[in-house]
Amino acid sequence: MIQAFGLTSNPRQELPPAVDDVSFEAPTGRVTALLGARASGKTTAVRLMLELQQGRGITHFRGRPLHRIPHPSQEVGVLLGEVQGHPSRTVRGQLRMLCAAAGVPVQRADEVLEVVGIVSLREQRLCTLSRGMDRRLGLACALLADPHTLVLDGPADGLSAREGKWLHGILRAHASLGGTVLFTTHDAKEAARTADRVVTLEEGRVIADQCVADFSRTRLRPRVAVRSPHATRLGVLLAKEARATQRSVEVVNEGGNRLSVYGSNCADIGETAFRHSILVHQLADEVGDAGPAVSVPARTRTEEVRAAEPTVPQPAGADTSSVTDAPLPVLELSEETAALSALARAHARSAQEPPQSTGTFVSLPVDADLGGASSSASASASASAPAPPSGEQGTQASRIPSGPASAPPPASLSPLPPPITTHPAPSPLRPLRYEVRRATGIATGYLTAAAVLVASAIVAVLLARTGRTPQAHLLAAWPQELPLPPAALGAGLLGAFAFGDEFRHPALAADRGTVPRRLGLLCAKLVVAAAIAVSLAFLVVASDAVLLHLVYGEELTKVPADWLSTFASWLALVVGCAWAGVLAAGVFRSTTAGLAAVLAVPILVVPLLQKALEGPSVRTAAGLPSRLRDLALVHWPFGAERVLAAGLRMIAQPVGSALMLSLTALLCAYLLTVLRPRAR
């Protein structure tokens, strides 16, 4: 179950907080609706619950705050807005990538596609999905790790009636399997049709917490719509008959020839009109949405008749007129049998749920500004709510009644709820597998590699024609006029994509800007970027050598004597550029910044190093290999001292020194961004 205590957002300059002391419960096995007009604080309350926004309060998901749950995605499925994924990624590729992040088998992607009914769209690109299909994919992402709790913000916004009915059936099916569902909506009729419990917000405060039957009776007022050319006369007659029979009937003149009659039915109104020979053009039952705060608009009341029986306290702002007690019909699930069975099969194949907490929690009292009537209504609604299943170990919270008779809170409790600190999104459970699927799931990497191969081949052919380029630079397609060869630039761009796409399309995070920058994910990105860079370096050299052999013969493709150290320097340059792109994009949250950091090495850092090292050299590193050999107690195998000396000579070069200096600075900056939030 979900237990929210004292959710309060931070003040907004001169405006009051968007959410002020919101407390409610969403029981297990039930669908709970958070109802309110636009700008009433629904989305802010959800963001506070999920620790995506700073404020005060605490929310327990089966007895634990979200930041105390080891793997939140396996406990809480979240749907906020549209699906955050690369537009060119396929539906199946998006889900498979998220499977690695959630630590579940990739077969789970096909299962949830069957549950949400978009198996036929598994190869479609995300950019081609309609609004309804995007909602289905978002629900599939939320169900991917088989969470116990679903938290959905406006899931039916923009959907057709048929798609909305399907969505509500899926939510009902999840709740019937023992899960907890909380969704926000501004449509009171949708809440009455779908939810078992409705929590109503107005201006950031809870004004009602009711079961659906009480909500339908007090917040949605059944009425009879009447159209007649003699509407005024018919209204007077209906009021007289109600007074004579001691019935509670309210007749509201809607203007012109229309009446709205509360507390009566079509049969009685039709008989009255027939007896007095009054022509009626329309006579129909309707459900009028009174909104979050029920109040009669500024209209002309023809007559208002009240019964003599005692009145029942109603929530603050609600109309106190007696209305029909019959609740609205709940959404039937006969049409959702297929979805329910698919969800049950997927639920049975998923991993076991984490152990539940055995703690007992007491919720906060209803806000005192609502008055005693509102508190009584909320307390009665809470008492009428169904109890949680017997399998749940935690006891359901008991509400403390407000008013003069309520006991004062213990002195040890703080008068303010605890602060809410935003936490970054969790790192993938299998970061290496996640990064491989992220990098290979779109065509950007393949197109970049193809462009690098074509550019390198053209540059190599042109350089060979001039005859002034050394063979090593010729095979790498690196003219002296360019700061870096095309392969190094391509590797740096692919490395920048590794983190740039995470911030541009944050598939890991429920909210933009909370992409995890953890060391495990960084190591996975560095390993994958290095593998891609090495592969690209091999392909560039091989393709250039083959093309030069075809165009100019064997003269330009001879293997040099120092090929090992030369090729090691080439691989180090390409891998270093790729790592610089990864680190810079992770620090500055931008692909462009990652590529700019790669270009800054030869353009800015190298000239600065050369200027710093200008002047006569008193000592040199001559004889370094022999001194390295003397340091070892045994001889270095396979001439390893020569390889080490070659590596040191490569670092001593301006580009090598500048690249290593840049990588060190970027790595320190990245570690600072990771460790600073933890220190706070």
Side-chain angles (χ1 to χ4, degrees):
M1 67 185 306
I2 302 176
Q3 297 170 307
F5 306 105
L7 298 180
T8 304
S9 60
N10 292 333
R12 304 168 295 172
Q13 296 180 355
E14 298 180 356
L15 300 176
V19 172
D20 187 7
D21 196 16
V22 171
S23 301
F24 63 91
E25 296 178 0
T28 302
R30 299 291 184 265
V31 179
T32 304
L34 195 59
L35 173 66
R38 300 190 187 276
S40 61
K42 305 185 301 297
T43 300
T44 303
V46 170
R47 290 172 59 85
L48 290 172
M49 292 171 56
L50 299 175
E51 299 179 352
L52 298 176
Q53 182 173 332
Q54 293 183 351
R56 285 193 170 274
I58 190 171
T59 303
H60 287 161
F61 297 90
R62 289 203 292 181
R64 292 177 294 176
L66 194 63
H67 62 273
R68 294 293 180 90
I69 300 176
H71 306 300
S73 61
Q74 298 181 0
E75 175 67 25
V76 183
V78 179
L79 175 58
L80 299 177
E82 298 179 353
V83 176
Q84 296 292 341
H86 198 284
S88 62
R89 198 180 302 276
T90 63
V91 171
R92 191 180 187 185
Q94 175 80 3
L95 292 176
R96 283 175 172 263
M97 182 185 69
L98 295 179
C99 282
V104 298
V106 293
Q107 293 79 9
R108 178 66 179 172
D110 298 326
E111 296 175 5
V112 295
L113 284 176
E114 180 185 356
V115 169
V116 300
I118 54 175
V119 178
S120 59
L121 302 179
R122 59 180 177 269
E123 300 302 329
Q124 291 288 331
R125 306 289 179 183
L126 297 186
C127 59
T128 62
L129 298 180
S130 63
R131 174 69 176 178
M133 296 303 103
D134 184 84
R135 293 284 86 186
R136 290 181 182 239
L137 178 59
L139 187 59
C141 295
L143 293 171
L144 198 59
D146 191 25
H148 175 270
T149 304
L150 291 180
V151 178
L152 316 174
D153 184 23
D157 291 349
L159 299 185
S160 62
R162 182 171 176 269
E163 292 171 336
K165 185 177 181 181
W166 170 88
L167 177 63
H168 298 151
I170 288 291
L171 301 184
R172 176 65 60 187
H174 183 80
S176 65
L177 294 175
T180 303
V181 178
L182 173 68
F183 73 97
T184 67
T185 180
H186 62 275
D187 188 354
K189 297 179 183 178
E190 176 189 358
R193 289 192 302 265
T194 308
D196 300 306
R197 191 164 198 82
V198 181
V199 180
T200 308
L201 295 183
E202 182 179 2
E203 296 181 356
R205 291 177 176 268
V206 177
I207 63 170
D209 187 352
Q210 306 164 294
C211 65
V212 69
D214 294 338
F215 172 78
S216 300
R217 184 176 64 252
T218 60
R219 313 298 289 178
L220 295 178
R221 305 181 62 199
R223 67 188 180 191
V224 178
V226 182
R227 290 185 181 273
S228 171
H230 309 286
T232 304
R233 180 187 171 203
L234 179 59
V236 173
L237 293 174
L238 292 174
K240 289 182 178 179
E241 290 189 359
R243 188 185 305 110
T245 57
Q246 294 295 317
R247 290 187 296 119
S248 177
V249 175
E250 178 186 354
V251 182
V252 178
N253 191 340
E254 302 285 355
N257 59 351
R258 180 177 176 179
L259 297 176
S260 292
V261 183
Y262 298 91
S264 185
N265 54 64
C266 293
D268 294 342
I269 297 175
E271 291 178 1
T272 301
F274 178 77
R275 286 196 303 269
H276 296 85
S277 301
I278 296 177
L279 179 64
V280 176
H281 292 161
Q282 180 188 12
L283 193 62
D285 290 320
E286 290 184 353
V287 177
D289 182 7
V294 180
S295 59
V296 178
R299 296 176 297 193
T300 304
R301 292 176 181 259
T302 304
E303 186 74 27
E304 186 173 332
V305 182
R306 303 294 180 191
E309 64 270 17
T311 59
V312 179
Q314 300 292 340
D319 194 284
T320 55
S321 59
S322 175
V323 293
T324 306
D325 292 342
L328 292 180
V330 182
L331 178 65
E332 297 292 339
L333 296 182
S334 59
E335 300 181 2
E336 312 300 337
T337 306
L340 177 58
S341 60
L343 189 61
R345 291 195 301 271
H347 182 81
R349 290 193 294 263
S350 61
Q352 295 182 354
E353 297 178 354
Q356 300 179 2
S357 174
T358 57
T360 304
F361 302 93
V362 180
S363 65
L364 300 180
V366 181
D367 193 275
D369 295 341
L370 301 180
S374 176
S375 302
S376 302
S378 300
S380 62
S382 301
S384 62
S390 58
E392 184 178 359
Q393 298 179 5
T395 58
Q396 188 174 2
S398 59
R399 290 192 173 274
I400 303 175
S402 61
S406 61
S412 60
L413 295 179
S414 173
L416 294 177
I420 297 177
T421 304
T422 58
H423 298 274
S427 181
L429 298 183
R430 296 168 184 166
L432 187 59
R433 199 179 80 179
Y434 163 80
E435 181 59 22
V436 170
R437 293 193 177 277
R438 186 209 62 79
T440 59
I442 57 178
T444 304
Y446 304 105
L447 295 177
T448 303
V452 168
L453 291 177
V454 171
S456 298
I458 295 176
V459 172
V461 171
L462 295 178
L463 290 177
R465 183 178 181 182
T466 61
R468 297 190 302 268
T469 305
Q471 187 179 13
H473 281 241
L474 186 62
L475 292 177
W478 189 359
Q480 296 180 357
E481 292 78 9
L482 292 179
L484 288 173
L489 292 176
L493 181 59
L494 292 177
F497 280 140
F499 260 123
D501 285 345
E502 295 283 8
F503 289 101
R504 188 177 180 186
H505 309 289
L508 286 179
D511 184 59
R512 186 179 297 272
T514 58
V515 174
R517 291 189 287 191
R518 305 290 177 85
L519 296 181
L521 184 59
L522 173 65
C523 293
K525 290 185 179 297
L526 292 179
V527 169
V528 174
I532 294 175
V534 169
S535 302
L536 188 61
F538 271 106
L539 290 175
V540 166
V541 172
S543 61
D544 290 349
V546 171
L547 185 61
L548 291 174
H549 182 272
L550 292 176
V551 177
Y552 298 107
E554 299 180 358
E555 181 181 359
L556 299 177
T557 57
K558 294 180 179 180
V559 179
D562 57 343
W563 66 271
L564 183 59
S565 61
T566 302
F567 196 70
S569 301
W570 167 242
L571 293 181
L573 175 65
V574 178
V575 172
C577 290
W579 285 357
V582 172
L583 292 172
V587 172
F588 300 107
R589 305 190 175 203
S590 172
T591 303
T592 306
L595 185 59
V598 176
L599 291 174
V601 172
I603 296 177
L604 296 179
V605 184
V606 170
L608 291 177
L609 282 179
Q610 290 177 345
K611 188 174 182 180
L613 298 176
E614 284 180 351
S617 178
V618 178
R619 292 181 177 86
T620 63
L624 179 61
S626 60
R627 289 192 294 271
L628 290 176
R629 190 183 303 111
D630 295 338
L631 288 177
L633 298 178
V634 296
H635 290 289
W636 293 60
F638 307 108
E641 71 279 0
R642 293 195 301 270
V643 178
L644 182 58
L648 293 177
R649 285 195 301 268
M650 179 185 63
I651 295 175
Q653 295 177 359
V655 175
S657 302
L659 188 57
M660 179 162 289
L661 181 62
S662 299
L663 288 176
T664 304
L666 289 173
L667 182 59
C668 292
Y670 187 91
L671 293 177
L672 181 62
T673 59
V674 172
L675 298 178
R676 183 175 59 182
R678 296 184 180 180
R680 289 180 179 177

Coordinates of all heavy atoms in Angstrom, one line a residue, residues 332-390:
E332 N -17.1 -2.5 -15.9 CA -17.1 -4.0 -16.0 C -15.8 -4.5 -16.7 O -15.3 -3.8 -17.6 CB -18.3 -4.4 -16.8 CG -19.6 -4.1 -16.2 CD -19.9 -4.9 -14.9 OE1 -19.2 -5.9 -14.7 OE2 -20.6 -4.4 -14.0
L333 N -15.3 -5.6 -16.3 CA -14.1 -6.2 -16.8 C -14.3 -7.3 -17.8 O -13.4 -8.0 -18.2 CB -13.2 -6.7 -15.7 CG -12.7 -5.6 -14.7 CD1 -11.9 -6.3 -13.6 CD2 -12.0 -4.5 -15.4
S334 N -15.6 -7.5 -18.2 CA -15.8 -8.6 -19.2 C -15.1 -8.4 -20.5 O -14.6 -9.4 -21.1 CB -17.3 -8.8 -19.4 OG -17.8 -7.6 -19.9
E335 N -14.9 -7.2 -20.9 CA -14.2 -6.9 -22.1 C -12.7 -6.9 -22.0 O -12.0 -6.8 -22.9 CB -14.7 -5.5 -22.7 CG -16.2 -5.5 -23.0 CD -16.6 -4.2 -23.6 OE1 -15.7 -3.3 -23.8 OE2 -17.7 -3.9 -23.8
E336 N -12.2 -7.0 -20.7 CA -10.8 -6.9 -20.5 C -10.3 -8.3 -20.1 O -9.2 -8.4 -19.4 CB -10.5 -5.9 -19.4 CG -11.1 -4.6 -19.6 CD -10.7 -3.9 -20.9 OE1 -9.6 -4.3 -21.4 OE2 -11.4 -3.1 -21.4
T337 N -11.0 -9.4 -20.4 CA -10.6 -10.7 -19.9 C -9.2 -11.1 -20.5 O -8.4 -11.7 -19.8 CB -11.6 -11.7 -20.3 OG1 -12.9 -11.3 -19.8 CG2 -11.3 -13.1 -19.7
A338 N -9.1 -10.8 -21.8 CA -7.8 -11.1 -22.4 C -6.6 -10.4 -21.8 O -5.6 -11.0 -21.5 CB -7.8 -10.8 -23.9
A339 N -6.8 -9.1 -21.5 CA -5.7 -8.4 -20.9 C -5.4 -8.9 -19.5 O -4.3 -9.0 -19.0 CB -6.0 -6.9 -20.8
L340 N -6.5 -9.3 -18.7 CA -6.3 -9.8 -17.4 C -5.6 -11.1 -17.4 O -4.7 -11.4 -16.6 CB -7.7 -10.0 -16.7 CG -7.7 -10.6 -15.3 CD1 -6.8 -9.8 -14.4 CD2 -9.1 -10.7 -14.8
S341 N -5.9 -12.0 -18.3 CA -5.2 -13.3 -18.4 C -3.8 -13.1 -18.8 O -2.9 -13.8 -18.2 CB -6.0 -14.2 -19.4 OG -6.0 -13.7 -20.7
A342 N -3.5 -12.2 -19.7 CA -2.1 -12.0 -20.1 C -1.3 -11.4 -19.0 O -0.2 -11.8 -18.7 CB -2.1 -11.1 -21.3
L343 N -1.9 -10.5 -18.2 CA -1.2 -9.9 -17.1 C -1.0 -11.0 -16.0 O 0.1 -11.0 -15.3 CB -2.0 -8.8 -16.5 CG -1.3 -7.9 -15.5 CD1 -0.1 -7.3 -16.0 CD2 -2.3 -6.8 -15.0
A344 N -1.9 -11.9 -15.8 CA -1.8 -12.9 -14.8 C -0.6 -13.9 -15.2 O 0.2 -14.3 -14.4 CB -3.1 -13.7 -14.6
R345 N -0.6 -14.2 -16.5 CA 0.5 -15.1 -16.9 C 1.9 -14.4 -16.8 O 2.8 -15.0 -16.3 CB 0.3 -15.5 -18.4 CG -0.9 -16.4 -18.6 CD -0.8 -17.0 -20.0 NE -0.8 -16.0 -21.1 CZ -1.8 -15.5 -21.7 NH1 -3.0 -15.9 -21.3 NH2 -1.7 -14.6 -22.6
A346 N 1.9 -13.1 -17.1 CA 3.2 -12.4 -17.0 C 3.6 -12.3 -15.5 O 4.8 -12.4 -15.1 CB 3.1 -11.1 -17.6
H347 N 2.6 -12.1 -14.6 CA 2.8 -12.0 -13.2 C 3.3 -13.3 -12.6 O 4.2 -13.3 -11.8 CB 1.5 -11.5 -12.5 CG 1.7 -11.3 -11.0 ND1 2.2 -10.2 -10.5 CD2 1.4 -12.1 -10.0 CE1 2.3 -10.3 -9.2 NE2 1.8 -11.4 -8.8
A348 N 2.8 -14.4 -13.1 CA 3.2 -15.7 -12.6 C 4.7 -16.0 -13.0 O 5.4 -16.7 -12.3 CB 2.3 -16.8 -13.1
R349 N 5.1 -15.5 -14.2 CA 6.4 -15.9 -14.7 C 7.5 -14.9 -14.1 O 8.7 -15.1 -14.3 CB 6.5 -15.8 -16.2 CG 5.7 -16.9 -16.9 CD 6.1 -17.0 -18.3 NE 5.6 -15.8 -19.0 CZ 4.4 -15.8 -19.7 NH1 3.7 -16.8 -19.8 NH2 4.1 -14.7 -20.3
S350 N 7.1 -13.8 -13.5 CA 8.0 -12.8 -13.0 C 8.7 -13.3 -11.7 O 8.3 -14.3 -11.1 CB 7.3 -11.5 -12.8 OG 6.3 -11.6 -11.8
A351 N 9.7 -12.5 -11.3 CA 10.4 -12.8 -10.0 C 9.5 -12.6 -8.8 O 8.5 -11.9 -8.9 CB 11.6 -11.9 -9.9
Q352 N 9.9 -13.2 -7.7 CA 9.1 -13.0 -6.5 C 9.2 -11.6 -6.0 O 10.2 -10.9 -6.2 CB 9.6 -14.0 -5.4 CG 9.4 -15.5 -5.8 CD 9.8 -16.4 -4.7 OE1 10.4 -15.9 -3.8 NE2 9.6 -17.7 -4.9
E353 N 8.1 -11.2 -5.2 CA 8.1 -9.8 -4.7 C 9.1 -9.7 -3.5 O 9.4 -10.7 -2.9 CB 6.7 -9.5 -4.2 CG 5.7 -9.5 -5.3 CD 4.3 -9.2 -4.8 OE1 4.2 -9.1 -3.6 OE2 3.4 -9.0 -5.6
P354 N 9.6 -8.5 -3.3 CA 10.5 -8.4 -2.1 C 9.7 -8.5 -0.8 O 8.5 -8.3 -0.8 CB 11.1 -7.0 -2.3 CG 10.1 -6.3 -3.2 CD 9.5 -7.3 -4.1
P355 N 10.3 -8.8 0.3 CA 9.6 -9.0 1.5 C 9.0 -7.7 2.0 O 9.5 -6.6 1.8 CB 10.7 -9.4 2.5 CG 12.0 -9.0 1.9 CD 11.8 -9.1 0.4
Q356 N 7.8 -7.8 2.5 CA 7.1 -6.6 2.9 C 7.5 -6.2 4.3 O 8.0 -7.0 5.1 CB 5.6 -6.9 3.0 CG 5.0 -7.4 1.6 CD 3.6 -7.7 1.6 OE1 3.0 -7.5 2.7 NE2 3.0 -8.1 0.5
S357 N 7.3 -5.0 4.6 CA 7.6 -4.4 5.9 C 6.6 -4.8 6.9 O 5.4 -4.9 6.6 CB 7.8 -2.9 5.8 OG 8.0 -2.4 7.1
T358 N 7.0 -4.9 8.2 CA 6.0 -5.2 9.3 C 5.8 -4.1 10.2 O 5.2 -4.2 11.2 CB 6.6 -6.4 10.1 OG1 7.9 -6.1 10.6 CG2 6.7 -7.7 9.2
G359 N 6.1 -2.9 9.7 CA 6.0 -1.7 10.6 C 4.5 -1.3 10.6 O 3.7 -1.5 9.7
T360 N 4.2 -0.5 11.6 CA 2.9 0.1 11.8 C 3.0 1.6 11.7 O 3.8 2.1 12.4 CB 2.2 -0.3 13.1 OG1 2.2 -1.8 13.2 CG2 0.8 0.2 13.2
F361 N 2.2 2.2 10.9 CA 2.3 3.6 10.7 C 0.9 4.3 11.0 O -0.1 3.7 10.7 CB 2.7 3.9 9.2 CG 4.0 3.3 8.8 CD1 4.0 2.0 8.3 CD2 5.2 3.9 9.1 CE1 5.2 1.4 7.9 CE2 6.4 3.3 8.8 CZ 6.4 2.1 8.2
V362 N 1.0 5.5 11.5 CA -0.2 6.2 11.8 C -0.2 7.5 10.9 O 0.8 8.2 10.9 CB -0.2 6.7 13.3 CG1 -1.5 7.5 13.6 CG2 -0.2 5.4 14.2
S363 N -1.3 7.7 10.2 CA -1.3 8.8 9.2 C -1.6 10.1 10.0 O -2.1 10.1 11.1 CB -2.3 8.5 8.2 OG -3.6 8.5 8.7
L364 N -1.3 11.2 9.3 CA -1.6 12.5 9.9 C -3.0 12.8 9.8 O -3.8 12.3 9.0 CB -0.8 13.5 9.1 CG 0.7 13.3 9.0 CD1 1.4 14.4 8.2 CD2 1.3 13.3 10.4
P365 N -3.5 13.7 10.7 CA -4.9 14.1 10.7 C -5.3 14.9 9.5 O -4.4 15.5 8.9 CB -5.1 14.8 12.0 CG -3.7 15.4 12.3 CD -2.8 14.3 11.8
V366 N -6.6 15.0 9.2 CA -7.1 15.8 8.1 C -6.8 17.3 8.5 O -6.8 17.7 9.6 CB -8.6 15.5 7.9 CG1 -9.1 16.3 6.7 CG2 -8.8 14.0 7.6
D367 N -6.5 18.0 7.4 CA -6.2 19.5 7.7 C -7.3 20.1 8.4 O -8.5 20.0 8.2 CB -6.0 20.1 6.3 CG -5.4 21.5 6.5 OD1 -6.1 22.4 6.7 OD2 -4.1 21.6 6.4
A368 N -6.9 20.9 9.4 CA -7.8 21.5 10.3 C -8.7 22.6 9.6 O -9.8 22.9 10.1 CB -7.1 22.2 11.5
D369 N -8.2 23.1 8.5 CA -9.0 24.2 7.8 C -10.3 23.6 7.2 O -11.1 24.4 6.8 CB -8.1 24.8 6.8 CG -7.0 25.6 7.4 OD1 -7.1 25.9 8.6 OD2 -6.0 25.9 6.7
L370 N -10.4 22.3 7.1 CA -11.5 21.7 6.4 C -12.7 21.7 7.4 O -13.9 21.5 6.9 CB -11.2 20.3 5.9 CG -10.1 20.2 4.9 CD1 -9.9 18.8 4.5 CD2 -10.3 21.1 3.7
G371 N -12.5 21.8 8.7 CA -13.6 21.8 9.6 C -14.0 20.4 10.0 O -13.6 19.4 9.5
G372 N -14.9 20.4 11.0 CA -15.3 19.1 11.6 C -16.1 18.2 10.6 O -16.0 17.0 10.6
A373 N -16.9 18.9 9.8 CA -17.7 18.1 8.9 C -16.8 17.3 7.9 O -17.1 16.2 7.6 CB -18.7 19.0 8.1
S374 N -15.8 18.0 7.4 CA -14.9 17.4 6.4 C -14.2 16.2 7.0 O -14.0 15.2 6.5 CB -14.0 18.4 5.8 OG -13.1 17.8 4.9
S375 N -13.7 16.4 8.3 CA -13.0 15.4 9.0 C -13.9 14.2 9.2 O -13.5 13.1 9.1 CB -12.4 15.9 10.3 OG -11.6 17.1 10.1
S376 N -15.1 14.4 9.6 CA -16.0 13.3 9.8 C -16.3 12.5 8.6 O -16.3 11.3 8.6 CB -17.3 13.8 10.4 OG -17.1 14.6 11.6
A377 N -16.5 13.2 7.5 CA -16.7 12.5 6.2 C -15.5 11.7 5.8 O -15.6 10.6 5.3 CB -17.1 13.6 5.1
S378 N -14.3 12.3 6.0 CA -13.1 11.6 5.6 C -12.9 10.4 6.5 O -12.5 9.3 6.0 CB -11.9 12.5 5.7 OG -12.0 13.6 4.8
A379 N -13.2 10.5 7.8 CA -13.0 9.4 8.7 C -14.0 8.3 8.4 O -13.7 7.1 8.4 CB -13.2 9.9 10.1
S380 N -15.3 8.7 8.1 CA -16.3 7.6 7.7 C -15.9 6.9 6.4 O -16.1 5.7 6.3 CB -17.7 8.3 7.6 OG -17.7 9.2 6.6
A381 N -15.4 7.7 5.5 CA -15.0 7.1 4.2 C -13.8 6.2 4.4 O -13.7 5.1 3.8 CB -14.6 8.2 3.2
S382 N -12.9 6.5 5.3 CA -11.8 5.6 5.6 C -12.2 4.4 6.3 O -11.7 3.3 6.1 CB -10.7 6.3 6.5 OG -10.2 7.5 5.8
A383 N -13.2 4.5 7.2 CA -13.7 3.3 7.9 C -14.4 2.4 6.9 O -14.4 1.2 7.1 CB -14.7 3.7 9.0
S384 N -15.1 2.9 5.9 CA -15.8 2.1 4.9 C -14.9 1.5 3.9 O -15.4 0.7 3.1 CB -16.9 2.9 4.3 OG -16.3 3.9 3.5
A385 N -13.7 1.8 3.8 CA -12.8 1.3 2.8 C -12.5 -0.2 3.1 O -12.4 -0.6 4.2 CB -11.4 2.1 2.8
P386 N -12.3 -1.0 2.1 CA -12.1 -2.4 2.3 C -10.7 -2.6 2.9 O -9.8 -1.9 2.6 CB -12.1 -3.0 0.9 CG -11.9 -1.8 0.0 CD -12.5 -0.6 0.7
A387 N -10.6 -3.6 3.7 CA -9.3 -3.9 4.4 C -8.4 -4.5 3.4 O -8.7 -5.1 2.4 CB -9.6 -4.9 5.6
P388 N -7.1 -4.4 3.7 CA -6.1 -5.0 2.8 C -6.1 -6.5 2.8 O -6.6 -7.1 3.8 CB -4.8 -4.4 3.3 CG -5.0 -4.1 4.7 CD -6.4 -3.7 4.8
P389 N -5.6 -7.2 1.8 CA -5.6 -8.6 1.9 C -4.8 -9.2 3.1 O -3.9 -8.5 3.6 CB -4.9 -9.0 0.5 CG -5.0 -7.8 -0.3 CD -5.0 -6.6 0.6
S390 N -5.2 -10.4 3.4 CA -4.6 -11.0 4.6 C -3.1 -11.3 4.4 O -2.4 -11.4 5.4 CB -5.3 -12.3 4.9 OG -5.2 -13.2 3.8

